[in-house]
Amino acid sequence: VLADLIKQYYPDFGWSLPKDLPRLVDTPPQKPPHRSIRAFVLMPFGGHYDSYYATVYKPGLEAAECIVQRADDMSAPHPIIMDVQRAIAEADVILCDMSGRNPNVFYELGLAHAIGKPVVLVSDNLSDVPFDLRHIRIITYDFRTPDWASKLRDGIRAAVLSIDPNDVWPPPLPKG
């Protein structure tokens, strides 16, 4: 390409260019490799929680380039807990809303911690967080403030992007 331009604008200059120069090919800029993170969401179902999933949790995780799933996204004809256990095991990150102290959510959170999955914890009330989890960073939100949803989405995104796969907490429970 450069040699062609020189020949075009300075035809007498070509004598000094080596004849065997490799041709330069214009290549488009390379995109960084796409991050594909599987995220599974543990949370209560129904009512306002369903709208939180659709408008806050899922978009926040997708902003961190996650493929997002929740138990009600599955439809296989077998026990739901099989799907939940498999999804937890296959996920790269778990998002857990502890609001309301839902027993199913805490059971599933225990499974995730037992196998050493990184978990982003959120709650609308710190009094819903059991003592054994209070030492972990928790993203709190107050749905009564005008910009709570965007702050929570941004917090989820930042938390997921900060996970170092080589330094995950909690470590899995030892076998035997």
Side-chain angles (χ1 to χ4, degrees):
V1 176
L2 179 60
D4 294 337
L5 289 173
I6 291 172
K7 283 180 188 176
Q8 180 180 353
Y9 293 102
Y10 300 101
D12 297 334
F13 188 74
W15 62 269
S16 64
L17 292 174
K19 303 294 183 222
D20 58 347
L21 279 178
R23 300 272 309 154
L24 296 175
V25 178
D26 289 335
T27 57
Q30 296 294 316
K31 289 183 178 180
H34 180 70
R35 255 177 86 154
S36 184
I37 304 166
R38 292 168 301 193
F40 189 63
V41 180
L42 311 175
M43 62 181 297
F45 289 97
H48 63 278
Y49 290 111
D50 290 345
S51 68
Y52 291 3
Y53 175 69
T55 62
V56 180
Y57 301 150
K58 190 171 183 179
L61 290 164
E62 287 173 340
E65 299 185 20
C66 293
I67 299 165
V68 185
Q69 192 174 39
R70 185 171 86 153
D72 61 343
D73 293 333
M74 303 169 190
S75 57
H78 53 257
I80 293 168
I81 194 61
M82 287 176 61
D83 289 332
V84 170
Q85 289 173 334
R86 184 176 297 118
I88 290 170
E90 293 174 356
D92 298 303
V93 63
I94 306 292
L95 175 70
C96 179
D97 187 341
M98 300 177 288
S99 304
R101 287 187 168 238
N102 183 294
N104 293 334
V105 170
F106 282 105
Y107 171 76
E108 295 160 5
L109 175 60
L111 293 175
H113 276 174
I115 62 172
K117 291 294 175 169
V119 181
V120 175
L121 299 173
V122 300
S123 182
D124 67 358
N125 188 340
L126 282 178
S127 66
D128 286 343
V129 180
F131 172 79
D132 288 347
L133 297 172
R134 290 199 183 184
H135 67 285
I136 305 169
R137 187 166 285 119
I138 300 160
I139 302 170
T140 58
Y141 62 93
D142 182 353
F143 59 87
R144 296 169 294 201
T145 59
D147 56 349
W148 73 273
S150 62
K151 284 183 178 178
L152 183 53
R153 269 193 306 271
D154 292 347
I156 290 168
R157 178 184 176 278
V160 170
L161 292 175
S162 73
I163 293 171
D164 178 354
N166 298 314
D167 185 27
V168 174
W169 191 94
L173 291 174
K175 295 180 181 178

